[in-house]
Amino acid sequence: MPETHQTMKMPELLLFARVFAIWFISAGVFRVTYFAGEKFVPLLADVDWVFQAAGIAVCLIVCLAYAIMRDACSFVVRIGRSLRFDLFAFALIGIWSNYLTSSWLLKVHELLNGMNPWWVSTILVVLLLVLLSPICITCLSRMRQPEPQFYFLGDDEIETDEEDILRNKGLAKDFAETVMASGVHSGLVFGIDGPWGIGKTSFVNLAEQHWRQAGVNSVIVFRFEPLRYAADPDLSERFIRDLSATLQRQVYAPEFRPAASRYSRMVKGISILGVRLSLEPSNETVDELLEDIDDLLKSIRRRVIVVIDDLDRLEAKTVNNVLFTIRRTFKLSQATYILCYDTENLVKGKDDGSNAREFLEKFVMVKLSLFIDSSTLKNFLLTDWKGNEHRFQTIPSDTMFKLSSILSEMAAILDDNSAAKYLHLIGDMRKLKRFVNAVILLQIEKTDLDKTDFNRRDLINLILLHLNYPGLFRKIYTEETEGRSGMFSVNRSFEAGKLRFNNADEFESVVTELPEPTSQFLLRQLFDVKVLEIEDTFVTVNESVLSSRACFNSEQHRNLEKYLKLIVRFAKPESRETFKLYQNAVDRVKQGTLIASILEGPDFDLRESELSHDQFWRVLVNHSYDFTQMIAEDAINTLGTYLPRYSFFGTNYRGLRQQSIFSLILLLESVGWGRTDGRRLPNTRENVVEIAQRIYGEAAYAGKGLIHRLVSEERGVLGWYDLMLFRFGCSADRQGQIYNVTTALIVHEDMSAPTTGSVSLLALNGMRPLSQRVFKLFRDNYIKPRRNFLAEVDKTPDIAFFGDSEKWVKEHSKLEEGGVQKLADQVLAARSAVKTFVLYQLANGDQPTDSGVGCGLYDESGNGDSGGINVNMNQYLFDICFNPSVSEDNIYHFADHCLRNLSSGFWAGYEEEGYVATETGLASGLDTAKLKNYWAEFGHLIKEKNLPSMDRRVVTWNYTATYTKHLPKVFDLLDKMAGVLGYNV
């Protein structure tokens, strides 16, 4: 190549003059300070040397701290590395010149000699305060800030290799070495192409780290962010200013700023529209000024790497302006350019995308494309956060660790066949961090997801919908909250002779009309019964699925609404409302934990709610098929113990106490027989008869019979209600799946007795021994001692009906309008239910009709069904409970009994509405002849009491009857039945 000759530049006169002036003045200031200090020193003669040393130390410390905080050390290092001995020489000349001119300052010296010495201390204190002010402000600003309540992942680019979770370190090193090896080349432009969020800026940071390690004294990296100056009318000027500032921070080149300013003034007169508007006249051309700047860069022996980031975020006009600025600086042979952009975003929206690509290719000589593998994102999600705290300083590792369950599920999504469909939403670190921040905002880290019913994948899909398709999410929220079930939740239907799950008719059309394939995919993953594979599996879907999947939003399982409330309202379901709580509790039982210790835990506090106990026993019974003998014994005994602690009140007039009786029967059915610690014995007659032995207290259960335990003395009359309900539930004609229980009751008396055939006959035979034993207990406790059962029901305290929830009911009932009266009526209705049910079950002598068998059908002993028990019960009722001769209060017991047995006027064929007295109703469970005889004997006496004038009423679950309104008609009907003179009001 031909030799290039360069014209020698003019001396830097202004630069040398400035250095000379600075040091000349500095030497003069030092001289003046020295003379002033000489006058002040005698004043310190009487001051102790310790205080003098302390004062000097304070001054030095303040000056030193100020110099360090102002980064004076790096400035000194830059000056040293510049090797500008010529400037050092001019500094010495300035100091020497000040010494030579000192004789000219005699008048100044005379003025200082006449100055008050205390001015020195005053000026010193002022200077110290001036220096201390910024020091204190800086220290206060660096003080530790209050601990934040929330931590989120920032979108800041990484700075070091330790933060490289995308494993770009190796590629960045190769790229950095390539850039360095390319040498200086005028107009060399590298391009880093990749979508938003791929980590282009972080990639350049890693490369910059290698550049600095390779040649700390040879490379200057200049980061220019045009997005910050998109509204600036002249990006070229801004470019030169920022370049100048970067060079000034890293090297000592005082001659650069004048050259840069000259260039800035020149480029102001250049427009990309082809119109040249010069603001300042100049004889220099742009090329000449660029040569001057390039010479300066060569003189300081530095190579500049210019990084232009976020180019694809600018408007088309601004992009052209930036590229034009870069083109104009191609004269800088010491500069290498790196553009970061996404080609697809640059050409998006342009009429001619191919031309836009070609236009970009004119600038970019070497292009590198960045990609992220789903495996890399998966590794990030599966990071050991406890062992890698340095990765993200903005969020505590323990917070991320608590989110490990949902992050692990996200990693599983990125590892399965559907990963490609999710990458549009979580395919880069920016989107993944946005998702993690959304999860943190929900404060899920404060909730143990393992103790909730939330399905991890459904929760992830709904959060992605919320983040990326807010309009669709709002539609789901509107249709599926506030108790509503819309087009998104699945329905149950009966088709082709079987129950099925299906989607609403509008669901398919809503999905297909969505413009985004990804939104369609998310909806199908959440709600499509075919994708979820539950379309034809109604029977096989277990309760854990029904309680967890978001597609279920029926009255029984408001799962979807719970998901939506969590995302929108941050509302976490109470642990008592989750199926997982009870599932985990049952798992603990299977592992050997005593049931009583679980039920005494805070989640099962009966004073708060009985819901947790209700759900626990239901789940336990459903999962009791594999209990060992020890666990089975614990379950049956604990349930029997807890019965009196449960309330009599609940939905449809059935409280937890009544429901627990049926749970007890189901436990006997599944685990009350043939259990060993190793395996379950077959349900043969010989094995299942153990159930009857357990009920009656025989063989291994002697002294521990269930029927005796249910009516123990401390349980009072409510225990008899429990026993009669237990007996009633064991009847074979109650349509319950209790084959083992009914078999045990039948074969207990006769091992050869048939256990299949007519249900009514099975009920008749199975209930005979149980009814006889129950009646015997009642006879021994009430008939023989002549105790009035009805009177004892009235004497039972209210607290017995409430169980352990009595305080809760009383406290909260007062908050409702009329709550106290409503509560009192419930207690009266419960007392009526106990009286009616117990006495009817004991006295009823009707043949079985698929609705249970009464005790009254049987004789007290033997196999006869002549109604002996019914006779004894009627004699007990009329001779003891209703007999006015025994107690005058028995009149009221009889009147109340009649009002408790009114019949619906509609079903009885009466025209009047409400409940009326009928012969069938009044004689329910009673001997009609005895009823007539009783009224014939005591009717007149009862009428004389003028009961209808009393403000007394009888409350049942179905109606309320008053003495004033209903008794006259009851007495009229009894007169008619007994054939006596009618009642006259």
Side-chain angles (χ1 to χ4, degrees):
M1 296 182 64
E3 183 179 355
T4 302
H5 296 280
Q6 294 183 348
T7 304
M8 184 178 66
K9 296 191 297 182
M10 293 179 60
E12 301 169 359
L13 297 179
L14 292 177
L15 175 61
F16 292 140
R18 186 168 66 250
V19 173
F20 174 85
I22 290 173
W23 284 100
F24 180 87
I25 295 172
S26 298
V29 172
F30 177 79
R31 182 183 297 277
V32 170
T33 304
Y34 179 79
F35 286 133
E38 284 184 330
K39 283 187 66 66
F40 182 71
V41 169
L43 299 179
L44 302 177
D46 297 331
V47 179
D48 191 278
W49 70 269
V50 175
F51 294 102
Q52 295 182 28
I56 295 173
V58 169
C59 295
L60 291 177
I61 291 173
V62 171
C63 294
L64 182 62
Y66 183 82
I68 292 174
M69 297 178 72
R70 289 285 297 173
D71 202 19
C73 297
S74 62
F75 178 72
V76 173
V77 171
R78 289 201 302 271
I79 292 177
R81 288 175 177 173
S82 67
L83 302 179
R84 293 298 302 268
F85 297 109
D86 52 348
L87 298 180
F88 180 71
F90 264 82
L92 293 178
I93 292 173
I95 296 173
W96 177 249
S97 299
N98 181 272
Y99 174 76
L100 295 177
T101 60
S102 61
S103 59
W104 303 350
L105 302 176
L106 293 177
K107 292 184 178 182
V108 175
H109 295 167
E110 293 176 359
L111 178 64
L112 291 176
N113 287 331
M115 182 181 65
N116 191 325
W118 288 105
W119 274 109
V120 176
S121 61
T122 302
I123 295 174
L124 179 62
V125 171
V126 170
L127 291 176
L128 286 176
L129 291 177
V130 169
L131 297 181
L132 276 173
S133 177
I135 293 175
C136 294
I137 293 175
T138 303
C139 292
L140 289 175
S141 65
R142 293 178 179 177
M143 290 180 64
R144 185 175 181 180
Q145 298 297 321
E147 193 74 17
Q149 295 182 353
F150 291 93
Y151 299 89
F152 297 98
L153 294 179
D155 194 29
D156 298 333
E157 62 273 7
I158 66 173
E159 299 289 344
T160 62
D161 292 347
E162 289 77 10
E163 302 175 48
D164 180 27
I165 58 178
L166 298 181
R167 300 180 181 179
N168 284 328
K169 179 173 61 176
L171 182 61
K173 181 179 179 181
D174 294 340
F175 175 75
E177 292 175 348
T178 301
V179 173
M180 291 295 295
S182 64
V184 292
H185 186 288
S186 179
L188 180 60
V189 180
F190 290 86
I192 300 179
D193 189 2
W196 290 352
I198 201 71
K200 297 186 289 292
T201 304
S202 298
F203 181 83
V204 174
N205 288 344
L206 294 176
E208 182 179 351
Q209 188 177 10
H210 291 289
W211 290 327
R212 291 175 175 172
Q213 291 173 356
V216 68
N217 297 326
S218 61
V219 177
I220 297 175
V221 179
F222 169 46
R223 308 292 286 266
F224 183 62
E225 301 177 4
L227 185 62
R228 297 172 57 186
Y229 314 117
D232 200 310
D234 197 334
L235 283 176
S236 301
E237 180 183 1
R238 177 61 65 178
F239 180 86
I240 293 301
R241 287 182 182 178
D242 287 0
L243 176 61
S244 173
T246 300
L247 293 174
Q248 290 290 333
R249 283 194 301 268
Q250 300 192 37
V251 297
Y252 181 70
E255 70 277 16
F256 180 77
R257 186 178 299 276
S261 299
R262 284 161 43 218
Y263 172 71
S264 177
R265 289 194 297 270
M266 287 298 299
V267 297
K268 282 182 180 180
I270 302 173
S271 172
I272 63 172
L273 299 177
V275 180
R276 186 181 183 85
L277 301 174
S278 180
L279 300 180
E280 296 183 10
S282 176
N283 294 326
E284 293 182 293
T285 65
V286 174
D287 292 338
E288 289 174 343
L289 290 174
L290 287 172
E291 289 178 0
D292 289 344
I293 295 176
D294 198 40
D295 289 341
L296 292 175
L297 292 174
K298 290 179 181 179
S299 68
I300 61 177
R301 299 178 302 281
R302 297 291 190 273
R303 180 179 178 185
V304 178
I305 298 177
V306 181
V307 180
I308 311 294
D309 205 353
D310 291 330
L311 189 64
D312 51 353
R313 297 179 184 271
L314 301 173
E315 296 180 356
K317 182 179 179 180
T318 309
V319 171
N320 292 339
N321 198 3
V322 173
L323 294 178
F324 170 77
T325 300
I326 295 172
R327 170 74 71 177
R328 296 300 296 167
T329 61
F330 278 175
K331 286 291 183 179
L332 301 176
S333 62
Q334 297 299 112
T336 300
Y337 300 87
I338 298 176
L339 302 183
C340 301
Y341 57 88
D342 179 7
T343 303
E344 299 304 319
N345 278 326
L346 278 175
V347 303
K348 184 186 299 183
K350 296 180 174 59
D351 296 335
D352 194 343
S354 59
N355 290 339
R357 294 177 190 273
E358 294 176 0
F359 179 72
L360 185 62
E361 291 174 359
K362 292 181 179 180
F363 292 88
V364 178
M365 306 304 175
V366 183
K367 188 178 84 167
L368 174 70
S369 296
L370 295 182
F371 298 89
I372 292 184
D373 296 329
S374 60
S375 59
T376 303
L377 299 176
K378 183 188 72 172
N379 292 334
F380 161 73
L381 294 168
L382 296 178
T383 295
D384 180 11
W385 298 101
K386 286 293 187 181
N388 294 274
E389 296 187 357
H390 61 275
R391 293 213 168 186
F392 287 101
Q393 300 297 328
T394 60
I395 180 171
S397 59
D398 59 341
T399 299
M400 295 297 291
F401 181 75
K402 292 175 182 177
L403 300 178
S404 58
S405 61
I406 195 167
L407 297 183
S408 298
E409 184 63 32
M410 179 67 82
I413 289 176
L414 293 172
D415 200 33
D416 62 21
N417 296 330
S418 61
K421 297 181 179 180
Y422 280 97
L423 290 180
H424 176 66
L425 303 176
I426 53 173
D428 59 60
M429 283 305 302
R430 178 172 293 126
K431 294 174 181 176
L432 204 56
K433 289 178 183 179
R434 185 167 173 246
F435 171 82
V436 173
N437 286 339
V439 175
I440 294 174
L441 182 63
L442 302 182
Q443 304 181 48
I444 291 182
E445 81 279 0
K446 297 181 180 179
T447 303
D448 188 352
L449 287 179
D450 292 333
K451 295 182 179 180
T452 67
D453 295 334
F454 291 126
N455 180 276
R456 309 295 189 275
R457 185 157 300 198
D458 285 353
L459 180 59
I460 289 172
N461 288 332
L462 283 168
I463 293 176
L464 291 175
L465 272 177
H466 181 242
L467 290 175
N468 299 279
Y469 306 101
L472 178 58
F473 184 87
R474 283 192 290 268
K475 183 178 181 65
I476 297 174
Y477 185 86
T478 301
E479 293 209 8
E480 302 292 346
T481 55
E482 304 299 330
R484 295 182 290 269
S485 295
M487 70 178 70
F488 297 98
S489 54
V490 300
N491 303 315
R492 305 181 185 190
S493 64
F494 189 79
E495 301 176 14
K498 62 179 180 180
L499 288 169
R500 300 180 61 188
F501 288 119
N502 53 54
N503 292 112
D505 297 335
E506 308 93 333
F507 176 76
E508 187 63 29
S509 61
V510 169
V511 174
T512 54
E513 290 174 1
L514 292 174
E516 290 282 345
T518 307
S519 60
Q520 297 180 11
F521 169 75
L522 290 177
L523 278 187
R524 294 196 183 277
Q525 290 293 309
L526 283 164
F527 307 119
D528 195 325
V529 294
K530 295 180 180 178
V531 175
L532 297 174
E533 299 180 351
I534 60 172
E535 185 177 18
D536 297 319
T537 57
F538 182 91
V539 178
T540 58
V541 174
N542 58 46
E543 192 168 4
S544 62
V545 174
L546 291 173
S547 302
S548 63
R549 298 310 299 262
C551 60
F552 300 111
N553 204 37
S554 62
E555 183 178 350
Q556 295 80 13
H557 302 94
R558 298 294 300 175
N559 303 343
L560 180 54
E561 182 167 2
K562 292 178 182 177
Y563 281 97
L564 298 175
K565 292 293 186 181
L566 172 68
I567 295 173
V568 175
R569 307 293 183 188
F570 312 150
K572 301 174 183 63
E574 291 287 339
S575 58
R576 294 184 180 89
E577 299 176 2
T578 64
F579 175 77
K580 186 63 68 67
L581 170 66
Y582 311 108
Q583 191 176 48
N584 292 341
V586 172
D587 290 340
R588 291 172 57 194
V589 171
K590 292 181 179 180
Q591 295 169 4
T593 304
L594 294 178
I595 296 176
S597 65
I598 294 176
L599 296 183
E600 293 300 324
D603 289 329
F604 296 90
D605 190 349
L606 278 173
R607 293 172 298 179
E608 296 292 332
S609 173
E610 290 183 338
L611 172 64
S612 55
H613 282 245
D614 182 18
Q615 294 286 72
F616 171 78
W617 289 116
R618 183 170 57 83
V619 175
L620 182 136
V621 170
N622 291 339
H623 293 79
S624 61
Y625 53 88
D626 59 349
F627 281 3
T628 63
Q629 183 178 7
M630 183 177 297
I631 298 175
E633 290 293 328
D634 183 35
I636 295 172
N637 291 331
T638 304
L639 181 55
T641 301
Y642 267 80
L643 269 174
R645 301 180 62 181
Y646 295 147
S647 172
F648 208 85
F649 310 107
T651 306
N652 296 326
Y653 315 119
R654 176 179 291 181
L656 180 56
R657 182 162 186 164
Q658 295 93 312
Q659 295 178 46
S660 297
I661 292 294
F662 295 104
S663 297
L664 181 61
I665 295 173
L666 293 175
L667 277 176
L668 293 175
E669 169 71 17
S670 59
V671 300
W673 56 275
R675 286 285 170 174
T676 66
D677 289 336
R679 61 188 180 87
R680 177 175 181 173
L681 299 177
N683 61 337
T684 60
R685 294 168 180 250
E686 292 76 11
N687 291 327
V688 300
V689 74
E690 182 183 350
I691 298 175
Q693 296 171 352
R694 187 188 293 271
I695 293 174
Y696 298 143
E698 298 175 353
Y701 304 99
K704 299 183 292 184
L706 276 176
I707 59 174
H708 299 84
R709 186 178 181 185
L710 289 175
V711 294
S712 58
E713 187 66 28
E714 66 272 9
R715 300 199 180 193
V717 294
L718 295 186
W720 285 97
Y721 184 91
D722 296 336
L723 177 58
M724 300 312 299
L725 191 60
F726 176 82
R727 189 204 72 89
F728 182 66
C730 291
S731 181
D733 60 350
R734 292 298 302 157
Q735 309 300 321
Q737 303 297 321
I738 51 171
Y739 173 78
N740 294 325
V741 173
T742 55
T743 298
L745 294 175
I746 293 173
V747 302
H748 178 265
E749 303 299 318
D750 182 2
M751 293 297 294
S752 62
T755 56
T756 58
S758 170
V759 175
S760 297
L761 184 59
L762 294 176
L764 182 66
N765 294 330
M767 296 299 290
R768 182 181 296 108
L770 179 58
S771 299
Q772 291 171 342
R773 292 172 185 255
V774 167
F775 175 73
K776 181 179 183 301
L777 287 173
F778 188 83
R779 182 189 61 194
D780 294 341
N781 282 272
Y782 286 95
I783 298 179
K784 288 184 176 180
R786 299 181 65 82
R787 294 166 56 190
N788 191 331
F789 180 80
L790 299 175
E792 295 198 7
V793 172
D794 290 335
K795 294 177 183 178
T796 302
D798 292 351
I799 192 173
F801 293 90
F802 296 130
D804 283 2
S805 66
E806 182 267 342
K807 292 182 180 179
W808 183 90
V809 173
K810 282 191 174 181
E811 291 173 358
H812 288 72
S813 63
K814 295 177 183 178
L815 301 179
E816 302 176 2
E817 184 177 357
V820 176
Q821 184 61 43
K822 180 180 179 182
L823 182 62
D825 286 349
Q826 289 180 350
V827 174
L828 291 175
R831 296 184 190 277
S832 297
V834 172
K835 295 174 181 179
T836 300
F837 185 74
V838 172
L839 295 181
Y840 178 80
Q841 290 296 316
L842 286 169
N844 178 30
D846 296 337
Q847 291 290 327
T849 55
D850 296 335
S851 59
V853 183
C855 294
L857 176 64
Y858 306 105
D859 292 334
E860 291 187 58
S861 61
N863 296 326
D865 301 329
S866 302
I869 294 177
N870 174 267
V871 172
N872 281 275
M873 283 301 302
N874 272 272
Q875 185 175 353
Y876 167 72
L877 289 172
F878 287 109
D879 291 350
I880 297 175
C881 297
F882 299 154
N883 192 344
S885 302
V886 176
S887 173
E888 188 174 336
D889 290 339
N890 288 347
I891 294 177
Y892 302 104
H893 291 314
F894 176 75
D896 289 349
H897 172 80
C898 293
L899 294 181
R900 287 195 303 269
N901 287 277
L902 300 180
S903 302
S904 171
F906 176 81
W907 296 110
Y910 287 77
E911 295 182 357
E912 58 183 300
E913 298 179 357
Y915 287 80
V916 298
T918 63
E919 292 187 17
T920 304
L922 295 182
S924 177
L926 301 179
D927 184 336
T928 304
K930 282 188 171 292
L931 176 61
K932 293 178 180 180
N933 293 335
Y934 172 85
W935 187 250
E937 182 178 358
F938 298 108
H940 181 71
L941 176 63
I942 294 174
K943 291 176 186 180
E944 289 180 349
K945 294 294 183 181
N946 195 19
L947 298 182
S949 64
M950 301 179 62
D951 184 17
R952 185 181 175 104
R953 60 199 181 105
V954 173
V955 182
T956 69
W957 295 128
N958 297 317
Y959 63 87
T960 298
T962 64
Y963 276 29
T964 302
K965 179 179 179 181
H966 295 88
L967 268 187
K969 295 181 180 180
V970 170
F971 291 167
D972 286 344
L973 179 60
L974 289 173
D975 285 342
K976 179 180 178 182
M977 293 172 61
V980 298
L981 183 63
Y983 177 78
N984 295 318
V985 179

